[in-house]
Amino acid sequence: MRVVTVGDNCMDVYQELGKTYPGGNSVNVAVYLKALGVNSSYIGWVGSDKYGDIMVEAIREKGVDTSHLLRKEGKTAVTYVELIDNDRRFGEYEEGVMGNFTLTTEELYFIQTHQLVHSGIWGHTGKYFPLFKEKGLLTSFDFSDQLNHSEVKKLPQFVDYPFFSYTRDDIYIRDFLKEIRSQGSKVVVATLGENGSLAYDGEQYYKYGVKEDNVIDTMGAGDSFISGFIYGSLKGLSIDRCLELGTDTATKTIRYFGAW
């Protein structure tokens, strides 16, 4: 299995704790997939600062292909985070060099050597997804909790596995998943925090709960869930089993500080 993730990375800075951890949706998904045995690559930009050094070294240490991770003059993206009852709250986000992120022709060709390409709402990659689908790639995309974002109205037709973040299983989210699925996706998934996860494939809904565990930090839980689900999908497993794998992967992530 070969998966490439494209777009956002950032250093998660816990100022009160005096700690920093590498992260960002696309980076996290690549790292988690590698841990599951997938041959994963990451494409993105980091700055010329110390955080850029930390990010590059950390991703390489996890075994992810960083041949297309580039250094640009400027600052690496930073998200300021605080912990409230072991749940993370995001503060200011400084996008740094990733604010001008684009893909080159060579990088687009490199992406096509993979089975699946993944990105997220902050990755500046939406405009490339029509090409990815045209070239026959499987695609996944994390819309996070941005259910009303402009990309939601035009991108799902090019995304096989769109992921959303919501709070509970209710009529609103079920109708929302059905509407997104009607645009052409294979399976639409919503993570529901402590209420588990929900998926829709055009015929029926699938629901999976959470597994009780000692929550240390929820950072990266959604991204690790996505990784588990993608892994199961690439192996041809049932939707129920994919939801279970996503939950298992997320459960491991919440046992420690930082995304990984």
Side-chain angles (χ1 to χ4, degrees):
M1 288 184 280
R2 285 175 55 81
V3 175
V4 58
T5 70
V6 186
D8 62 314
N9 66 75
C10 68
M11 292 299 298
D12 297 320
V13 178
Y14 295 69
Q15 288 181 301
E16 293 182 358
L17 299 176
K19 295 181 180 296
T20 59
Y21 301 96
N25 174 259
S26 295
V27 166
N28 291 344
V29 171
V31 169
Y32 296 136
L33 283 170
K34 182 64 179 180
L36 289 169
V38 176
N39 186 353
S40 64
S41 307
Y42 170 68
I43 299 177
W45 293 356
V46 296
S48 53
D49 53 4
K50 66 176 183 179
Y51 283 157
D53 295 335
I54 294 171
M55 182 70 71
V56 172
E57 182 178 353
I59 299 172
R60 284 177 178 167
E61 283 183 352
K62 292 297 183 179
V64 174
D65 180 351
T66 58
S67 60
H68 291 75
L69 171 54
L70 302 182
R71 303 293 295 268
K72 298 287 184 176
E73 188 66 32
K75 294 184 177 181
T76 302
V78 170
T79 299
Y80 293 97
V81 187
E82 61 176 335
L83 279 178
I84 301 176
D85 296 328
N86 292 333
D87 192 12
R88 80 271 194 264
R89 294 288 187 271
F90 294 116
E92 185 179 357
Y93 174 52
E94 299 173 357
E95 197 168 25
V97 297
M98 273 301 301
N100 297 311
F101 180 71
T102 58
L103 290 170
T104 66
T105 300
E106 191 278 329
E107 288 167 340
L108 290 170
Y109 281 123
F110 176 71
I111 289 170
Q112 292 171 45
T113 66
H114 297 75
Q115 290 174 267
L116 182 146
V117 54
H118 171 83
S119 191
I121 197 71
W122 313 120
H124 300 288
T125 58
K127 63 184 177 181
Y128 300 108
F129 271 72
L131 174 64
F132 298 156
K133 285 306 298 178
E134 177 187 330
K135 296 300 182 181
L137 288 166
L138 287 171
T139 54
S140 67
F141 196 92
D142 181 23
F143 291 91
S144 186
D145 59 357
Q146 304 297 300
L147 276 63
N148 296 311
H149 196 282
S150 59
E151 292 278 33
V152 175
K153 297 177 175 62
K154 57 186 177 181
L155 199 56
Q157 63 182 308
F158 306 110
V159 180
D160 294 305
Y161 303 104
F163 293 89
F164 296 88
S165 177
Y166 191 59
T167 54
R168 61 190 180 276
D169 179 5
D170 59 17
I171 295 298
Y172 173 79
I173 195 62
R174 287 188 174 233
D175 287 346
F176 179 84
L177 296 186
K178 183 177 288 187
E179 170 60 28
I180 296 299
R181 173 60 177 72
S182 72
Q183 296 183 42
S185 300
K186 292 181 183 295
V187 182
V188 189
V189 182
T191 55
L192 307 174
E194 63 183 11
N195 293 308
S197 55
L198 185 70
Y200 182 69
D201 66 353
E203 295 184 359
Q204 69 180 86
Y205 293 96
Y206 303 80
K207 188 172 182 179
Y208 199 86
V210 297
K211 296 188 175 181
E212 294 296 327
D213 206 351
N214 181 29
V215 178
I216 301 299
D217 181 7
T218 57
M219 180 67 77
D223 300 338
S224 53
F225 177 95
I226 289 172
S227 303
F229 191 96
I230 289 173
Y231 176 75
S233 298
L234 290 174
K235 289 180 71 69
L237 302 181
S238 68
I239 294 175
D240 283 325
R241 181 68 178 124
C242 289
L243 290 175
E244 182 180 13
L245 282 173
T247 303
D248 288 343
T249 310
T251 300
K252 295 176 183 177
T253 302
I254 62 177
R255 294 173 180 166
Y256 51 78
F257 280 107
W260 38 272

